[in-house]
Amino acid sequence: DAGVIQSPRHEVTEMGQEVTLRCKPISGHNSLFWYRQTMMRGLELLIYFNNNVPIDDSGMPEDRFSAKMPNASFSTLKIQPSEPRDSAVYFCASSLFSGASSGYTFGSGTRLTVV
Amino acid sequence: DAKTTQPNSMESNEEEPVHLPCNHSTISGTDYIHWYRQLPSQGPEYVIHGLTSNVNNRMASLAIAEDRKSSTLILHRATLRDAAVYYCILTRSGNTGKLIFGQGTTLQVKP
């Protein structure tokens, strides 16, 4: 199993540009989570999906952020337009949801730098 | 959601056991106790979880107090590769299992 695959690993973009981060969850997992990590705020849950349906997006910081999961094997997190304060490491995680005892598998993250 | 309290940092010597404490005095009866760790420049990694009984796996042991208001993650022989941030997290049954991370404990392992 290749684990959770995120792309790209690094992204540098100019302020105002659109950025799309991608995630392929582990095959068979039915829950997917997007997190953001900064030194100041630590790991923050942005949004999560269950069976491809967004369940809770209360962590999405602004309307500039959007996430989709068109099928069970792919999800995107889009920032449009990007701002320097969006610079962070973005992690995707998946789990075979079985309630509060589920274990998550995280990807290696995408380091986003907005200049 | 019930909160957890962990020391900001701890030090250990290589090949010695490490006991990482976590307080969760407001834990409810259906809350699971999870431990994850994050190695430098990597995503968080599942370590272990439990509900009431102590748990063992190849990575670590989880000791849960009888009143469940605290728990301890035990690394039996620390190696340099165990240097990481360790997170103690509670998940509530019926809350879809989402993980909310705190600041964790930064473990330094000295050779």
Side-chain angles (χ1 to χ4, degrees):
Chain A
D1 193 337
V4 176
I5 300 173
Q6 292 187 247
S7 64
R9 287 299 306 274
H10 302 273
E11 176 80 37
V12 180
T13 190
E14 291 185 348
M15 182 175 62
Q17 296 297 306
E18 177 180 298
V19 176
T20 299
L21 311 181
R22 297 171 176 79
C23 175
K24 177 179 170 54
I26 290 175
S27 177
H29 281 189
N30 62 359
S31 292
L32 183 139
F33 307 81
W34 282 99
Y35 285 84
R36 177 173 69 174
Q37 186 171 35
T38 61
M39 287 293 293
M40 290 296 294
R41 300 174 68 91
L43 273 160
E44 302 173 277
L45 176 63
L46 300 178
I47 185 171
Y48 68 92
F49 296 83
N50 192 32
N51 293 323
N52 312 338
V53 176
I55 302 300
D56 185 350
D57 65 354
S58 60
M60 296 286 261
E62 299 172 31
D63 291 344
R64 298 185 295 107
F65 286 69
S66 62
K68 294 182 180 180
M69 192 165 186
N71 56 61
S73 59
F74 184 66
S75 177
T76 59
L77 178 68
K78 184 178 294 186
I79 308 173
Q80 167 63 20
S82 59
E83 296 182 5
R85 59 192 168 123
D86 301 330
S87 297
V89 181
Y90 291 81
F91 290 103
C92 175
S94 70
S95 73
L96 181 60
F97 173 65
S98 59
S101 64
S102 299
Y104 290 23
T105 302
F106 282 78
S108 299
T110 295
R111 181 174 295 276
L112 173 66
T113 303
V114 183
V115 299
Chain B
D1 290 332
K3 294 189 68 174
T4 64
T5 304
Q6 300 178 253
N8 288 333
S9 62
M10 291 184 64
E11 286 187 355
S12 173
N13 294 317
E14 197 175 12
E15 298 189 4
E16 290 185 356
V18 182
H19 290 233
L20 296 162
C22 181
N23 287 320
H24 27 78
S25 58
T26 59
I27 192 170
S28 77
T30 57
D31 286 346
Y32 281 81
I33 303 162
H34 290 250
W35 284 84
Y36 282 74
R37 72 179 185 180
Q38 187 172 20
L39 302 172
S41 301
Q42 295 189 28
E45 172 187 33
Y46 168 82
V47 178
I48 200 166
H49 78 278
L51 184 61
T52 56
S53 302
N54 294 343
V55 184
N56 300 295
N57 66 23
R58 64 176 181 80
M59 290 182 68
S61 295
L62 175 59
I64 302 173
E66 194 168 335
D67 63 4
R68 300 211 324 128
K69 293 185 184 300
S70 66
S71 61
T72 302
L73 179 70
I74 303 167
L75 307 180
H76 297 286
R77 284 182 73 235
T79 69
L80 296 178
R81 291 185 67 253
D82 291 322
V85 179
Y86 287 78
Y87 298 97
C88 171
I89 306 166
L90 302 183
T91 59
R92 180 155 293 175
S93 180
N95 197 25
T96 69
K98 64 181 181 180
L99 292 176
I100 305 299
F101 286 81
Q103 293 306 306
T105 296
T106 299
L107 175 66
Q108 294 183 328
V109 180
K110 296 185 288 185

